[in-house]
Amino acid sequence: MKPFAYVRATGLSEAIAAHGARPGSRYLGGGTNLVDLMKLGVEAPDTLVDLAGLPLGSVEETPDGGLRIGSGVRGSDLALHPLVRTRYPALSQALLAGASAQLRNVATTGGNLLQRTRCPYFQDVAKPCNKREPGTGCGARDGVHRDHAVLGHSPQCIATHPSDMAVALVALDAAVELQGPDGARTVPATAFHRLPGDHPERDTVIEPGEIVTAVTLPPDRAGLPSRYRKARDRASYAFALVSVAAVLDISGGRVRHVALAFGGLAHRPWRATAAEERLLGAAPTESAVRAAVEAELESAEPLRDNGFKVPLARNLACDVLNSLAGSPLSRSSRSSRS
Protein backbone atom coordinates (compact mmCIF):
# COMPACT_ATOMS: atom_id res chain seq x y z
CA MET A 1 0.00 0.00 0.00
CA LYS A 2 1.18 3.49 -0.83
CA PRO A 3 1.65 5.57 2.35
CA PHE A 4 -0.63 8.58 2.71
CA ALA A 5 -1.24 11.42 5.12
CA TYR A 6 -4.50 11.49 7.05
CA VAL A 7 -6.23 14.66 8.27
CA ARG A 8 -9.44 14.60 10.30
CA ALA A 9 -10.86 18.05 9.62
CA THR A 10 -13.11 19.83 12.11
CA GLY A 11 -14.21 22.69 9.85
CA LEU A 12 -14.67 23.50 6.17
CA SER A 13 -11.75 25.93 6.04
CA GLU A 14 -9.44 23.39 7.63
CA ALA A 15 -10.56 20.68 5.24
CA ILE A 16 -10.12 22.87 2.14
CA ALA A 17 -6.68 24.00 3.29
CA ALA A 18 -5.58 20.43 4.03
CA HIS A 19 -6.72 19.29 0.61
CA GLY A 20 -4.94 22.21 -1.00
CA ALA A 21 -6.52 21.52 -4.42
CA ARG A 22 -3.67 19.07 -5.00
CA PRO A 23 -4.18 16.23 -7.53
CA GLY A 24 -3.11 13.66 -4.94
CA SER A 25 -5.56 14.78 -2.24
CA ARG A 26 -8.95 13.18 -1.70
CA TYR A 27 -11.86 13.94 0.60
CA LEU A 28 -13.15 10.97 2.58
CA GLY A 29 -16.83 10.65 3.49
CA GLY A 30 -18.16 7.18 4.24
CA GLY A 31 -15.39 5.62 2.16
CA THR A 32 -17.64 2.95 0.61
CA ASN A 33 -16.32 3.73 -2.88
CA LEU A 34 -12.97 5.46 -2.36
CA VAL A 35 -11.54 2.82 -0.03
CA ASP A 36 -12.52 0.06 -2.47
CA LEU A 37 -10.73 1.91 -5.28
CA MET A 38 -7.65 2.29 -3.08
CA LYS A 39 -7.63 -1.45 -2.47
CA LEU A 40 -7.80 -2.07 -6.22
CA GLY A 41 -4.97 0.37 -6.92
CA VAL A 42 -7.22 2.64 -8.98
CA GLU A 43 -6.84 5.43 -6.41
CA ALA A 44 -3.55 6.10 -4.62
CA PRO A 45 -3.97 9.43 -2.78
CA ASP A 46 -1.10 11.03 -0.93
CA THR A 47 -3.52 12.79 1.45
CA LEU A 48 -6.92 11.79 2.80
CA VAL A 49 -9.01 14.56 4.37
CA ASP A 50 -11.72 13.00 6.52
CA LEU A 51 -14.94 15.04 6.53
CA ALA A 52 -16.75 12.99 9.18
CA GLY A 53 -16.15 15.66 11.82
CA LEU A 54 -17.76 18.46 9.83
CA PRO A 55 -21.29 19.67 10.76
CA LEU A 56 -22.85 18.45 7.53
CA GLY A 57 -25.13 15.73 8.85
CA SER A 58 -28.56 17.35 9.12
CA VAL A 59 -31.74 17.52 7.05
CA GLU A 60 -33.44 20.88 7.46
CA GLU A 61 -36.62 22.39 6.11
CA THR A 62 -35.89 25.66 4.32
CA PRO A 63 -38.00 28.79 4.97
CA ASP A 64 -39.71 28.42 1.58
CA GLY A 65 -40.76 24.81 2.24
CA GLY A 66 -37.93 22.97 0.49
CA LEU A 67 -35.28 20.75 2.07
CA ARG A 68 -31.56 21.21 2.61
CA ILE A 69 -29.68 17.94 3.01
CA GLY A 70 -26.17 18.07 4.42
CA SER A 71 -23.58 16.15 2.42
CA GLY A 72 -22.71 14.08 5.49
CA VAL A 73 -26.23 12.69 5.92
CA ARG A 74 -26.12 8.90 5.75
CA GLY A 75 -28.16 7.11 3.11
CA SER A 76 -30.24 5.20 5.64
CA ASP A 77 -31.19 8.36 7.52
CA LEU A 78 -32.10 10.20 4.34
CA ALA A 79 -34.15 7.35 2.87
CA LEU A 80 -36.28 7.09 6.01
CA HIS A 81 -36.58 10.78 6.83
CA PRO A 82 -40.31 11.60 7.12
CA LEU A 83 -40.08 14.79 5.05
CA VAL A 84 -38.25 12.96 2.27
CA ARG A 85 -40.69 10.05 2.25
CA THR A 86 -43.79 12.25 2.17
CA ARG A 87 -42.64 15.15 -0.01
CA TYR A 88 -40.05 13.58 -2.32
CA PRO A 89 -40.87 9.84 -2.44
CA ALA A 90 -38.76 9.16 -5.54
CA LEU A 91 -35.63 10.09 -3.58
CA SER A 92 -36.47 7.71 -0.74
CA GLN A 93 -37.24 4.91 -3.22
CA ALA A 94 -33.97 5.49 -5.09
CA LEU A 95 -31.91 5.31 -1.91
CA LEU A 96 -33.61 2.12 -0.75
CA ALA A 97 -33.00 0.55 -4.18
CA GLY A 98 -29.37 1.60 -4.25
CA ALA A 99 -27.50 -0.47 -1.70
CA SER A 100 -27.68 -2.84 1.24
CA ALA A 101 -28.71 -1.53 4.64
CA GLN A 102 -25.13 -1.90 5.84
CA LEU A 103 -23.82 0.34 3.07
CA ARG A 104 -26.61 2.89 3.54
CA ASN A 105 -25.64 3.15 7.19
CA VAL A 106 -22.16 4.33 6.17
CA ALA A 107 -22.43 6.01 2.77
CA THR A 108 -22.97 9.78 2.70
CA THR A 109 -25.04 11.99 0.43
CA GLY A 110 -21.96 13.75 -0.93
CA GLY A 111 -20.12 10.49 -1.50
CA ASN A 112 -23.12 9.04 -3.31
CA LEU A 113 -23.02 11.91 -5.79
CA LEU A 114 -19.29 11.51 -6.33
CA GLN A 115 -19.07 7.72 -6.61
CA ARG A 116 -17.28 6.49 -9.68
CA THR A 117 -18.31 4.07 -12.41
CA ARG A 118 -18.33 0.34 -11.80
CA CYS A 119 -17.03 -0.36 -15.31
CA PRO A 120 -14.70 -3.39 -14.91
CA TYR A 121 -12.16 -1.83 -17.24
CA PHE A 122 -11.94 1.20 -14.96
CA GLN A 123 -11.57 -0.97 -11.87
CA ASP A 124 -8.88 -3.27 -13.32
CA VAL A 125 -5.52 -1.49 -13.56
CA ALA A 126 -4.28 -4.13 -16.01
CA LYS A 127 -6.86 -3.06 -18.61
CA PRO A 128 -6.93 0.07 -20.80
CA CYS A 129 -9.24 2.85 -19.59
CA ASN A 130 -9.30 6.50 -20.61
CA LYS A 131 -11.17 7.40 -17.44
CA ARG A 132 -8.52 5.92 -15.18
CA GLU A 133 -5.52 6.76 -17.39
CA PRO A 134 -6.27 9.20 -20.24
CA GLY A 135 -4.89 8.17 -23.60
CA THR A 136 -4.79 4.43 -22.98
CA GLY A 137 -8.02 3.65 -24.83
CA CYS A 138 -11.44 2.30 -23.90
CA GLY A 139 -11.26 -1.43 -23.39
CA ALA A 140 -15.01 -1.75 -22.97
CA ARG A 141 -15.89 -0.46 -26.45
CA ASP A 142 -14.66 -3.61 -28.20
CA GLY A 143 -14.81 -5.75 -25.08
CA VAL A 144 -17.54 -6.57 -22.58
CA HIS A 145 -20.05 -3.71 -22.62
CA ARG A 146 -23.49 -5.19 -21.90
CA ASP A 147 -23.96 -2.82 -18.93
CA HIS A 148 -22.60 0.29 -20.64
CA ALA A 149 -23.98 3.52 -22.11
CA VAL A 150 -26.36 3.89 -25.02
CA LEU A 151 -26.80 7.67 -24.74
CA GLY A 152 -24.23 10.48 -24.77
CA HIS A 153 -21.15 8.27 -24.94
CA SER A 154 -18.01 9.12 -26.88
CA PRO A 155 -15.19 7.22 -28.58
CA GLN A 156 -13.20 7.86 -25.39
CA CYS A 157 -15.64 6.31 -22.89
CA ILE A 158 -18.88 4.34 -22.70
CA ALA A 159 -19.11 4.05 -18.90
CA THR A 160 -22.33 4.70 -16.98
CA HIS A 161 -22.82 6.62 -13.76
CA PRO A 162 -23.78 4.22 -10.93
CA SER A 163 -25.80 6.37 -8.51
CA ASP A 164 -29.52 5.75 -8.00
CA MET A 165 -29.89 8.79 -5.75
CA ALA A 166 -28.47 11.14 -8.38
CA VAL A 167 -31.12 10.10 -10.91
CA ALA A 168 -33.90 11.02 -8.48
CA LEU A 169 -32.21 14.33 -7.63
CA VAL A 170 -32.06 15.25 -11.32
CA ALA A 171 -35.77 14.53 -11.78
CA LEU A 172 -36.59 16.55 -8.66
CA ASP A 173 -34.63 19.60 -9.90
CA ALA A 174 -32.30 19.52 -6.91
CA ALA A 175 -29.22 21.71 -6.59
CA VAL A 176 -25.75 20.90 -5.26
CA GLU A 177 -23.99 23.35 -2.93
CA LEU A 178 -20.19 23.49 -3.13
CA GLN A 179 -17.51 25.16 -1.04
CA GLY A 180 -13.92 25.46 -2.22
CA PRO A 181 -10.79 27.59 -2.36
CA ASP A 182 -12.63 30.22 -4.42
CA GLY A 183 -15.71 30.34 -2.19
CA ALA A 184 -19.22 28.93 -2.41
CA ARG A 185 -21.36 28.19 -5.44
CA THR A 186 -24.47 26.21 -6.35
CA VAL A 187 -24.85 23.93 -9.36
CA PRO A 188 -28.12 22.42 -10.63
CA ALA A 189 -28.12 18.64 -10.27
CA THR A 190 -28.85 18.41 -13.99
CA ALA A 191 -25.49 20.08 -14.71
CA PHE A 192 -23.37 18.52 -11.96
CA HIS A 193 -22.31 15.34 -13.77
CA ARG A 194 -20.61 15.43 -17.17
CA LEU A 195 -20.83 13.49 -20.39
CA PRO A 196 -17.45 11.93 -21.25
CA GLY A 197 -16.53 13.82 -24.43
CA ASP A 198 -12.74 13.95 -24.76
CA HIS A 199 -12.21 14.06 -20.98
CA PRO A 200 -13.88 11.02 -19.41
CA GLU A 201 -11.55 11.30 -16.41
CA ARG A 202 -13.77 14.19 -15.22
CA ASP A 203 -17.03 12.80 -13.84
CA THR A 204 -18.43 16.11 -12.58
CA VAL A 205 -18.00 19.88 -12.85
CA ILE A 206 -16.53 20.01 -9.35
CA GLU A 207 -13.28 21.99 -9.20
CA PRO A 208 -10.10 20.88 -7.35
CA GLY A 209 -10.50 21.30 -3.61
CA GLU A 210 -14.27 21.82 -3.66
CA ILE A 211 -16.45 20.02 -1.12
CA VAL A 212 -20.07 19.07 -1.66
CA THR A 213 -21.66 20.68 1.39
CA ALA A 214 -25.37 20.13 0.76
CA VAL A 215 -28.11 19.19 -1.65
CA THR A 216 -31.26 21.32 -1.79
CA LEU A 217 -34.70 20.24 -2.95
CA PRO A 218 -37.10 22.91 -4.26
CA PRO A 219 -40.43 23.61 -2.54
CA ASP A 220 -42.41 23.55 -5.79
CA ARG A 221 -41.61 19.83 -6.26
CA ALA A 222 -42.65 18.92 -2.71
CA GLY A 223 -45.69 16.69 -2.59
CA LEU A 224 -45.92 16.10 -6.34
CA PRO A 225 -46.43 12.48 -7.38
CA SER A 226 -42.99 10.98 -8.03
CA ARG A 227 -41.58 7.50 -8.42
CA TYR A 228 -38.30 5.65 -8.91
CA ARG A 229 -38.02 2.26 -10.60
CA LYS A 230 -34.95 0.18 -11.33
CA ALA A 231 -34.33 -2.80 -13.61
CA ARG A 232 -31.36 -4.94 -12.63
CA ASP A 233 -30.02 -8.45 -13.06
CA ARG A 234 -31.01 -9.50 -9.56
CA ALA A 235 -33.50 -8.06 -7.12
CA SER A 236 -30.97 -7.52 -4.35
CA TYR A 237 -28.41 -4.70 -4.43
CA ALA A 238 -27.29 -4.68 -8.05
CA PHE A 239 -26.46 -1.62 -10.13
CA ALA A 240 -29.09 -0.51 -12.60
CA LEU A 241 -29.28 -1.79 -16.15
CA VAL A 242 -31.87 0.96 -16.53
CA SER A 243 -33.55 3.11 -13.91
CA VAL A 244 -36.25 5.77 -14.15
CA ALA A 245 -37.16 8.68 -11.88
CA ALA A 246 -40.27 10.64 -12.77
CA VAL A 247 -42.36 13.50 -11.40
CA LEU A 248 -45.82 14.16 -12.82
CA ASP A 249 -48.35 16.87 -12.00
CA ILE A 250 -51.69 16.87 -13.81
CA SER A 251 -54.33 19.58 -13.75
CA GLY A 252 -57.56 19.60 -15.73
CA GLY A 253 -56.57 16.44 -17.54
CA ARG A 254 -53.34 18.01 -18.85
CA VAL A 255 -49.72 17.66 -17.76
CA ARG A 256 -48.79 20.77 -15.80
CA HIS A 257 -45.31 19.56 -14.82
CA VAL A 258 -43.30 16.52 -15.84
CA ALA A 259 -39.72 15.48 -15.16
CA LEU A 260 -38.14 12.26 -16.38
CA ALA A 261 -34.60 11.04 -15.76
CA PHE A 262 -32.85 7.80 -16.70
CA GLY A 263 -30.06 5.97 -14.92
CA GLY A 264 -27.87 3.23 -16.37
CA LEU A 265 -27.97 4.71 -19.88
CA ALA A 266 -25.25 7.36 -19.85
CA HIS A 267 -22.14 8.76 -18.19
CA ARG A 268 -24.47 10.94 -16.10
CA PRO A 269 -28.11 10.79 -15.01
CA TRP A 270 -29.94 11.50 -18.26
CA ARG A 271 -32.66 14.17 -18.11
CA ALA A 272 -35.21 13.32 -20.79
CA THR A 273 -35.95 16.86 -22.00
CA ALA A 274 -37.31 15.79 -25.40
CA ALA A 275 -39.91 13.56 -23.73
CA GLU A 276 -40.80 16.28 -21.24
CA GLU A 277 -41.35 18.86 -23.98
CA ARG A 278 -43.76 16.54 -25.79
CA LEU A 279 -45.77 15.75 -22.66
CA LEU A 280 -46.02 19.22 -21.13
CA GLY A 281 -49.54 20.52 -21.67
CA ALA A 282 -50.71 17.27 -23.25
CA ALA A 283 -53.23 14.74 -22.02
CA PRO A 284 -51.17 11.94 -20.43
CA THR A 285 -52.62 9.09 -22.47
CA GLU A 286 -50.68 5.88 -22.90
CA SER A 287 -50.07 6.66 -26.57
CA ALA A 288 -48.82 10.18 -25.78
CA VAL A 289 -46.49 8.84 -23.11
CA ARG A 290 -45.10 6.19 -25.42
CA ALA A 291 -44.53 8.67 -28.26
CA ALA A 292 -42.75 11.06 -25.91
CA VAL A 293 -40.43 8.40 -24.50
CA GLU A 294 -39.66 7.04 -27.96
CA ALA A 295 -38.76 10.55 -29.12
CA GLU A 296 -36.26 10.77 -26.26
CA LEU A 297 -34.65 7.44 -27.12
CA GLU A 298 -34.29 8.17 -30.84
CA SER A 299 -30.80 9.49 -30.14
CA ALA A 300 -29.66 6.24 -28.50
CA GLU A 301 -26.57 4.60 -30.01
CA PRO A 302 -26.42 1.10 -28.58
CA LEU A 303 -23.32 -1.00 -29.00
CA ARG A 304 -22.98 -4.64 -30.00
CA ASP A 305 -24.26 -6.15 -26.75
CA ASN A 306 -26.45 -3.54 -25.04
CA GLY A 307 -29.20 -2.80 -27.55
CA PHE A 308 -31.69 -4.40 -25.16
CA LYS A 309 -31.39 -1.31 -22.95
CA VAL A 310 -33.39 0.84 -25.39
CA PRO A 311 -36.69 -1.12 -25.27
CA LEU A 312 -36.10 -1.79 -21.57
CA ALA A 313 -35.80 1.95 -20.91
CA ARG A 314 -38.86 2.68 -23.05
CA ASN A 315 -41.04 0.12 -21.30
CA LEU A 316 -39.85 1.07 -17.82
CA ALA A 317 -40.40 4.80 -18.39
CA CYS A 318 -43.83 4.26 -19.91
CA ASP A 319 -44.85 2.05 -17.00
CA VAL A 320 -43.69 4.59 -14.41
CA LEU A 321 -45.33 7.57 -16.12
CA ASN A 322 -48.58 5.70 -16.75
CA SER A 323 -48.72 4.55 -13.15
CA LEU A 324 -48.19 8.11 -11.94
CA ALA A 325 -50.89 9.40 -14.29
CA GLY A 326 -53.35 6.89 -12.88
CA SER A 327 -52.27 6.88 -9.24
CA PRO A 328 -54.69 7.95 -6.48
CA LEU A 329 -52.19 10.63 -5.44
CA SER A 330 -52.12 12.00 -8.96
CA ARG A 331 -55.93 12.00 -9.18
CA SER A 332 -56.07 13.78 -5.82
CA SER A 333 -53.52 16.29 -7.12
CA ARG A 334 -55.65 16.89 -10.20
CA SER A 335 -58.83 17.52 -8.26
CA SER A 336 -57.24 19.67 -5.57
CA ARG A 337 -55.28 21.82 -8.00
CA SER A 338 -57.90 22.27 -10.73
Side-chain angles (χ1 to χ4, degrees):
M1 175 180 281
K2 175 184 174 182
F4 57 88
Y6 173 83
V7 179
R8 187 174 178 86
T10 57
L12 278 172
S13 297
E14 180 186 353
I16 293 167
H19 187 286
R22 295 186 302 273
S25 298
R26 295 289 184 273
Y27 290 122
L28 177 68
T32 58
N33 185 210
L34 176 58
V35 173
D36 283 346
L37 293 177
M38 290 172 66
K39 291 176 181 178
L40 293 170
V42 175
E43 290 276 7
D46 55 41
T47 303
L48 281 183
V49 183
D50 193 339
L51 306 180
L54 273 58
L56 302 172
S58 62
V59 179
E60 301 170 341
E61 188 173 12
T62 59
D64 60 4
L67 282 185
R68 186 176 187 273
I69 302 160
S71 63
V73 174
R74 306 292 171 174
S76 53
D77 294 330
L78 186 58
L80 301 178
H81 195 284
L83 291 180
V84 174
R85 296 182 69 180
T86 57
R87 296 184 185 180
Y88 307 95
L91 177 55
S92 176
Q93 293 161 12
L95 286 159
L96 292 173
S100 67
Q102 293 91 337
L103 285 173
R104 288 197 303 271
N105 287 340
V106 176
T108 64
T109 298
N112 193 320
L113 279 174
L114 296 172
Q115 63 180 302
R116 309 208 69 189
T117 184
R118 269 39 178 211
C119 173
Y121 294 87
F122 171 73
Q123 294 184 320
D124 187 343
V125 296
K127 292 183 169 66
C129 174
N130 288 319
K131 178 178 286 294
R132 188 186 67 250
E133 190 177 350
T136 59
C138 176
R141 179 167 284 277
D142 294 320
V144 178
H145 54 239
R146 174 179 176 269
D147 297 341
H148 288 66
V150 298
L151 288 168
H153 55 78
S154 76
Q156 303 300 318
C157 183
I158 59 172
T160 57
H161 184 69
S163 173
D164 294 279
M165 182 193 77
V167 181
L169 291 178
V170 165
L172 291 166
D173 294 303
V176 182
E177 295 182 1
L178 301 168
Q179 182 83 30
D182 296 324
R185 65 183 179 122
T186 300
V187 178
T190 52
F192 183 70
H193 294 95
R194 299 179 66 258
L195 291 178
D198 293 329
H199 294 282
E201 71 277 9
R202 294 188 61 199
D203 295 339
T204 71
V205 299
I206 199 165
E207 296 294 336
E210 284 189 319
I211 298 172
V212 176
T213 54
V215 172
T216 56
L217 293 168
D220 55 353
R221 302 296 179 256
L224 295 183
S226 68
R227 192 158 298 165
Y228 182 82
R229 287 272 306 279
K230 177 178 180 177
R232 46 192 165 181
D233 281 327
R234 64 181 190 273
S236 178
Y237 317 128
F239 292 101
L241 294 170
V242 177
S243 65
V244 171
V247 183
L248 188 65
D249 185 27
I250 302 170
S251 179
R254 300 280 172 174
V255 175
R256 177 155 63 180
H257 173 76
V258 59
L260 179 66
F262 288 106
L265 297 188
H267 193 260
R268 69 182 183 194
W270 186 271
R271 185 68 180 259
T273 54
E276 294 172 4
E277 289 171 2
R278 281 181 170 249
L279 284 173
L280 191 63
T285 62
E286 290 188 12
S287 60
V289 166
R290 186 179 181 89
V293 174
E294 287 181 340
E296 183 66 44
L297 295 173
E298 283 179 357
S299 62
E301 296 181 278
L303 303 169
R304 181 192 65 238
D305 297 329
N306 65 0
F308 73 94
K309 283 194 171 190
V310 179
L312 180 59
R314 180 194 65 221
N315 294 339
L316 193 63
C318 288
D319 187 60
V320 169
L321 287 168
N322 288 329
S323 66
L324 283 174
S327 71
L329 179 58
S330 182
R331 290 195 295 269
S332 173
S333 174
R334 289 199 295 267
S335 61
S336 65
R337 294 168 183 264
S338 60

